[in-house]
Amino acid sequence: MAITIKNPNEISKMRDAGHVVSVCHQQVEAAIAPGVTTGDLDEIVRDVIAGMGATSNFYGHHGFPGYICASVNDEIVHGIPGERRLESGDIISVDIGAIVDGFHGDSAWTYAVGDVSDETQRLLRDTEDALYAGISAALAGRRIGAIGSAVESVARPLGYGIVEGYGGHGIGREMWEEPHIPNLGSPDSGPMMRPGMTLAIEPMLNLGDHETKVLADNWTVVTADGSRSAHFEHTVVITDGEPEILTRRLVAVVE
Ligand code: MG
Ligand code: MG
């Protein structure tokens, strides 16, 4: 499938879908605490999506049984929410998507549970930095490879394992559209970015090696060496200037 350019009306719908995803993250972040289960977070997101008149793009996708992907500690992506109870010192990557009027939003964030180690705090901060470096490189007239190159330029000098088998993607009428967006590589690789392209940018960085494996549930992707992993993702639209973040985090307004 070719890369699609969205018109202003379609981008408006993606902004609405992104807003639903942002509200979900706000509610999840407020709920995360030691003792909460990943299934509790899944129910919160199910209810927010329904309450805002949106639908889930995760639930039932190839049979996925959750409204979120909940990936704890050494789990990278596609963790199944359930009975697991969060403990202080854990990290949890929560990946959330929603559909409004047929258009998709997709955003992941890694949250600390209670008190986490300095090393883990750095992992979260650096992976978030890598996300924003990637977003800053998402400019019309540059190639898709500029995004991964920018992510790699943050992650590589700090010694993180950069996950290669999974990455960003086009998004719009489908959750996964062309092109694939690697989190490393040459800035001169891949298709040219143009205004109206909508992309999910999502670095995944490991404290250890980059190698991954899939658990027996056939969903959960973990680091092969058991090291911790972080995952930060936004859906953006390429413009004539800076990219617009469609799933931008909500900030409390202080009057
Ligand atoms: Mg996602
Ligand atoms: Mg994604």
Side-chain angles (χ1 to χ4, degrees), residues 186-198:
S186 165
D188 299 319
S189 60
M192 195 72 79
M193 289 183 273
R194 303 190 188 289
M197 281 186 188
T198 43

Side-chain angles (χ1 to χ4, degrees), residues 162-182:
I162 303 172
V163 174
E164 297 180 16
Y166 307 85
H169 49 93
I171 180 169
R173 290 185 183 278
E174 305 289 340
M175 183 155 57
W176 286 290
E177 297 184 351
E178 293 295 320
H180 173 67
I181 306 174

Side-chain angles (χ1 to χ4, degrees), residues 58 95 106 202 233:
F58 285 22
D95 200 343
D106 185 12
E202 47 183 315
E233 175 186 30

Side-chain angles (χ1 to χ4, degrees), residues 53-243:
T55 53
S56 172
N57 39 13
F58 285 22
Y59 187 81
H61 188 86
H62 295 292
F64 189 76
Y67 293 81
I68 64 172
C69 295
S71 307
V72 179
N73 295 339
D74 63 320
E75 298 171 354
I76 303 168
V77 286
H78 304 166
I80 298 172
E83 298 299 310
R84 183 167 184 166
R85 212 167 277 285
L86 299 174
E87 298 176 13
S88 183
D90 284 345
I91 54 173
I92 177 169
S93 300
V94 182
D95 200 343
I96 302 173
I99 309 170
V100 172
D101 287 341
F103 285 86
H104 292 243
D106 185 12
S107 174
W109 218 255
T110 303
Y111 299 100
V113 183
D115 296 319
V116 302
S117 70
D118 291 348
E119 182 184 51
T120 295
Q121 285 182 35
R122 283 194 296 274
L123 171 69
L124 302 193
R125 185 196 62 206
D126 294 337
T127 310
E128 185 178 353
D129 285 350
L131 167 63
Y132 285 111
I135 291 171
S136 296
L139 300 171
R142 301 188 69 184
R143 291 190 180 276
I144 284 289
I147 295 170
S149 176
V151 168
E152 185 176 11
S153 71
V154 171
R156 192 70 74 193
L158 297 171
Y160 293 113
I162 303 172
V163 174
E164 297 180 16
Y166 307 85
H169 49 93
I171 180 169
R173 290 185 183 278
E174 305 289 340
M175 183 155 57
W176 286 290
E177 297 184 351
E178 293 295 320
H180 173 67
I181 306 174
N183 285 311
L184 73 179
S186 165
D188 299 319
S189 60
M192 195 72 79
M193 289 183 273
R194 303 190 188 289
M197 281 186 188
T198 43
L199 308 173
I201 298 174
E202 47 183 315
M204 300 150 213
L205 302 184
N206 304 341
L207 279 177
D209 191 65
H210 71 278
E211 298 285 348
T212 67
K213 61 182 182 182
V214 180
L215 296 185
D217 64 17
N218 281 325
W219 280 108
T220 312
V221 181
V222 299
T223 58
D225 63 6
S227 66
R228 291 184 160 198
S229 185
H231 178 205
F232 287 77
E233 175 186 30
H234 271 312
T235 298
V236 308
V237 56
I238 307 299
T239 73
D240 290 323
E242 298 293 308

